[in-house]
Amino acid sequence: MIRPYATTLILMFTVYCLGCNSKGPSASDPNQITVGVAFETLQTEYWVAGFDAIKSELASRDIAVLEAIADGDPNRQLQQVKNFITRRVNGIILVPKDAKSCIPAIRAANAANIPIVLFNRPASETDAKSVAVQANNFEISKETVSFLIEQARKSGTKTKAMIVLGDLGDINAVGRRDGFEAAVQGNEEFIEVVARVPSEWNQEKAQAGVVNALQANPDIGLIFTSSDFLLPSIISALKAANKYHKFNEPGHVIMGGFDGDATAYQMLRDGYLDATGVQDVYFEAKASVQAVLDMRDGKDVEPLIQDPGFVIHRDNMEEKAASTWGANVQPAN
Amino acid sequence: MVSRFVHSGYLTLLLCGVYCLAVGTWVPGFFTLENAHNVLLALLPLLVVATGQTVVLMTAGIDLSVTSIIAITSVIGAQLITSDGGPLAENWLATPIAAIAMLCLGVGLGLANGICVAVLKMPAFIATLTSMMFLSGLAIWWTQSEQIYNLPRSFLSIGNQLGSVLLITILLTGSVHFLINRTLFGMRLRAVGHNPLAARTSGVPVSKTIVWAYVLSGFTAALASVLITGQLETGSPVQWENNLLDIVGATVIGGTSLYGGRGSVIWTASGVLLLSLIDSSLNLLSLSHFTIMMIKGAVILLAALLDTLRYRVNEGNH
């Protein structure tokens, strides 16, 4: 039984090899620049906005795009990057699943001499060469939480606080947590952190954690979430505890977030959210595309390009709306 | 003749050839040595784990825990040898010890699954589904969701060098092919899958055969884990968690029956090849992941329908 199979397989392999062109596909227009954009996920508004901003930036420069979404699977993402290389792209913009499993993909791009830029998530320390564009998570979070603490100080009493953590395998989540802790440090007479709720970037886990924390500490008066996409889970838990009120209503829980998505912007407008740290997605998209082109032209590019971001709150809302990406998209729900 | 052709599993191999010719001419980059290398490197770990799944399906069982066995063995193996504090980091035998530990763990977990199914008489679906949940949770808890990096080059080269992956896969699939087609164990697998009661009456050690099938599945999952961890240079508690459909799907597309009693490693190889060709070509076309999932799902559904038709025809013939 194995013989006919082997014969057929050998025939197929021969046909495949005869069809093979070791130089790869020839471009229809050799002057056309093509960039492969591979995202780990499009699960949150931020990633969708980033994906659209990059595509729009590339289109504005007449650069063709190849797209790929890995749905959270680093193995699939590695194959997608290899496919980009097979398609002979001129550059790759990658949102990796995490800082470590992307390194083989960076190595593959390095071996093919294709510039690779990591959007929003840098790789761990490695000999593989890439450029990362990333928000300054620490500073933006610190500034946001400092604003929240200022609000809490106005009450004149010590406020109990909660942070909803992200996936601590993600360097962004670590930066945001550290920014929160740094803002609290030195303000212990006004703030007491009573709950650090892990979410692993999962809305259900976040909701369960916030519900539990509110049961254990019903007098929590300040909540900071490591990402705005977790806000719906927090709202749900606050509503269940009858603690979801506007800033000018009694019982208001001071709330802040990170990202600047559409939900957060709407909550700011409605008076439920006090502040959120905004990642400037337009800056990050532009910087990523520029870095790919500069690397392609052989220019020196800094390994980490930082998006300084900014904090949007009630007092500067009108002024900052134009550069807040969440103000320009519809909320997901 | 046509009936024999459809029943033989040749159909999938023919489909591979037709698919290659059909898409190869217009999918950019499909007919390149680079793509052939990529497809091969990606499909071999899938073939390794699908080989174990073939043996389990032949007993009319199913092993849903393979992806979680891949994950737990990946993190345990990586933790032993990572230069970020692994106990074997400085040991020159780190790579073989870690690989053997991973394989032993895979065998142990397969044995536990086999005992649940064959001795405790739990339905295979529930026994392996709960194993999957438990082991996935355990892997995440054990690592606190951390990825494990900085593995020794000797370990990585097992998984990221085409030569070594090919050699390991050929050795494994060749051995299991021999086991299924040339040994008493293979005959017992078919007998148990066709009719366990009749098999028991004929003196076949049904429970023992089923336990060995799950042990083999655990072993192949752990072996695949060695290759995947090397390819990704990372031990991950969620390693391959989204690939269960590909593993079972490739086996069924090849022609191995979900009803048991019928299967072949070569058929599975055809199924793995077809699924990988579809995946690669659709990726090269830059289609979205969701479109690729839908197309692959449709192909697997068709294969399952074909399997049901074959089963009914066979039932009618008896």
Side-chain angles (χ1 to χ4, degrees):
Chain A
M1 190 179 74
I2 198 164
R3 211 166 294 153
Y5 259 94
T7 313
T8 319
L9 266 176
I10 289 166
L11 273 172
M12 272 184 61
F13 185 69
T14 312
V15 169
Y16 192 93
C17 287
L18 286 173
C20 275
N21 168 14
S22 60
K23 287 179 183 165
S26 54
S28 51
D29 176 4
N31 296 321
Q32 173 66 59
I33 298 175
T34 304
V35 170
V37 182
F39 268 48
E40 175 247 333
T41 178
L42 288 182
Q43 205 181 7
T44 70
E45 287 175 23
Y46 176 75
W47 296 123
V48 175
F51 198 55
D52 290 343
I54 290 170
K55 286 197 291 182
S56 158
E57 182 64 30
L58 289 167
S60 72
R61 299 178 191 227
D62 285 331
I63 298 172
V65 187
L66 294 180
E67 304 170 19
I69 312 298
D71 198 29
D73 182 351
N75 186 52
R76 185 180 304 281
Q77 192 162 57
L78 177 60
Q79 299 312 318
Q80 289 170 340
V81 169
K82 286 181 175 177
N83 283 333
F84 285 160
I85 295 168
T86 303
R87 292 283 302 269
R88 297 282 182 268
V89 295
N90 303 98
I92 295 169
I93 297 175
L94 180 76
V95 174
K97 166 91 171 102
D98 57 73
K100 289 167 181 165
S101 60
C102 61
I103 292 171
I106 301 172
R107 277 195 220 289
N110 288 170
N113 209 18
I114 293 174
I116 182 163
V117 172
L118 304 193
F119 181 83
N120 205 267
R121 279 183 188 155
S124 289
E125 200 173 314
T126 169
D127 56 346
K129 301 263 183 301
S130 64
V131 164
V133 178
Q134 187 197 22
N136 192 335
N137 291 289
F138 179 85
E139 285 299 334
I140 302 171
S141 299
K142 190 178 166 191
E143 209 180 316
T144 308
V145 178
S146 296
F147 178 85
L148 301 179
I149 293 173
E150 275 303 310
Q151 305 305 306
R153 285 178 71 163
K154 289 175 188 168
S155 70
T157 55
K158 195 168 184 174
T159 305
K160 289 189 176 177
M162 173 202 307
I163 176 175
V164 183
L165 301 163
D167 180 348
L168 295 179
D170 177 357
I171 197 164
N172 292 334
V174 174
R176 293 169 201 178
R177 178 202 59 188
D178 293 348
F180 172 88
E181 300 290 355
V184 169
Q185 206 171 28
N187 285 299
E188 287 85 354
E189 56 183 303
F190 311 109
I191 291 290
E192 183 192 0
V193 183
V194 292
R196 292 175 174 83
V197 174
S199 78
E200 292 172 21
W201 294 145
N202 180 306
Q203 286 178 316
E204 288 76 25
K205 275 187 188 166
Q207 186 180 4
V210 174
V211 166
N212 289 339
L214 286 173
Q215 275 175 0
N217 301 280
D219 50 349
I220 280 176
L222 187 152
I223 300 176
F224 173 73
T225 169
S226 299
S227 173
D228 288 341
F229 97 98
L230 299 172
L231 282 171
S233 307
I234 297 169
I235 295 170
S236 165
L238 284 173
K239 280 182 177 168
N242 196 25
K243 289 175 74 71
Y244 190 57
H245 306 290
K246 293 183 181 179
F247 74 96
N248 50 7
E249 293 172 352
H252 168 66
V253 174
I254 299 167
M255 237 194 312
F258 193 102
D259 280 338
D261 75 8
T263 306
Y265 183 72
Q266 191 57 48
M267 285 174 69
L268 259 177
R269 291 201 76 86
D270 295 344
Y272 289 103
L273 193 77
D274 296 84
T276 191
V278 180
Q279 308 196 63
D280 191 342
V281 78
Y282 307 117
F283 169 88
E284 290 181 19
K286 201 169 188 169
S288 300
V289 173
Q290 191 57 49
V292 164
L293 297 177
D294 286 348
M295 288 161 82
R296 181 175 175 266
D297 294 341
K299 293 180 190 165
D300 278 337
V301 181
E302 286 293 315
L304 179 64
I305 300 168
Q306 277 209 326
D307 159 20
F310 55 90
V311 181
I312 186 169
H313 46 76
R314 274 192 303 280
D315 304 334
N316 68 1
M317 197 163 49
E318 300 306 329
E319 175 201 338
K320 296 284 187 187
S323 41
T324 302
W325 61 272
N328 303 312
V329 295
Q330 289 296 313
N333 48 352
Chain B
M1 175 71 186
V2 173
S3 166
R4 200 181 154 200
F5 181 78
V6 170
H7 277 68
S8 68
Y10 278 83
L11 186 63
T12 316
L13 200 59
L14 180 76
L15 281 174
C16 289
V18 172
Y19 188 82
C20 266
L21 290 173
V23 304
T25 47
W26 58 277
V27 173
F30 187 78
F31 271 140
T32 59
L33 288 176
E34 208 171 349
N35 189 45
H37 180 275
N38 292 344
V39 170
L40 209 53
L41 202 56
L43 76 79
L44 293 174
L46 178 60
L47 175 55
V48 167
V49 66
T51 298
Q53 191 70 250
T54 303
V55 176
V56 171
L57 285 181
M58 284 177 73
T59 66
I62 191 163
D63 189 351
L64 301 176
S65 68
V66 281
T67 50
S68 58
I69 293 178
I70 289 172
I72 191 83
T73 51
S74 171
V75 294
I76 297 290
Q79 275 188 338
L80 286 173
I81 54 176
T82 175
S83 58
D84 297 335
L88 298 175
E90 303 298 322
N91 194 317
W92 64 281
L93 280 173
T95 294
I97 293 175
I100 290 167
M102 290 166 79
L103 295 176
C104 290
L105 182 58
V107 165
L109 294 170
L111 181 66
N113 278 335
I115 289 170
C116 287
V117 175
V119 181
L120 303 178
K121 308 289 180 202
M122 289 171 72
F125 181 83
I126 288 296
T128 57
L129 183 71
T130 46
S131 292
M132 177 178 79
M133 291 169 70
F134 175 77
L135 294 173
S136 299
L138 181 67
I140 291 169
W141 172 79
W142 183 259
T143 58
Q144 295 296 302
S145 294
E146 290 279 344
Q147 314 280 322
I148 301 149
Y149 193 62
N150 287 329
L151 309 181
R153 285 203 181 280
S154 54
F155 183 85
L156 302 183
S157 63
I158 301 174
N160 61 21
Q161 302 289 326
L162 182 58
S164 59
V165 183
L166 195 58
L167 181 68
I168 288 169
T169 310
I170 289 172
L171 282 175
L172 175 91
T173 50
S175 307
V176 177
H177 177 80
F178 179 81
L179 204 63
I180 290 176
N181 293 293
R182 296 275 188 269
T183 66
L184 188 60
F185 176 70
M187 290 169 69
R188 286 174 173 172
L189 275 178
R190 287 192 179 80
V192 169
H194 271 305
N195 190 333
L197 280 176
R200 183 168 283 120
T201 311
S202 312
V204 173
V206 174
S207 298
K208 207 167 145 185
T209 306
I210 292 174
V211 169
W212 275 110
Y214 283 91
V215 167
L216 195 58
S217 179
F219 175 81
T220 57
L223 186 59
S225 176
V226 173
L227 304 180
I228 296 159
T229 306
Q231 263 181 29
L232 290 175
E233 304 185 14
T234 310
S236 167
V238 290
Q239 199 85 286
W240 262 43
E241 67 172 354
N242 298 330
N243 286 34
L244 185 61
L245 181 70
D246 282 9
I247 296 162
V248 179
T251 314
V252 175
I253 289 171
T256 296
S257 178
L258 286 164
Y259 299 93
R262 184 175 184 279
S264 152
V265 175
I266 301 171
W267 297 353
T268 298
S270 306
V272 168
L273 181 63
L274 181 62
L275 213 54
S276 302
L277 288 172
I278 291 171
D279 219 2
S280 166
S281 58
L282 300 183
N283 266 316
L284 282 168
L285 284 172
S286 213
L287 292 184
S288 75
H289 172 64
F290 315 105
T291 314
I292 297 172
M293 287 290 285
M294 284 191 288
I295 294 173
K296 279 166 67 176
V299 172
I300 295 169
L301 179 69
L302 277 175
L305 274 173
L306 190 64
D307 181 43
T308 306
L309 284 173
R310 280 177 186 147
Y311 180 75
R312 285 197 179 153
V313 168
N314 282 343
E315 286 285 286
N317 288 344
H318 295 145

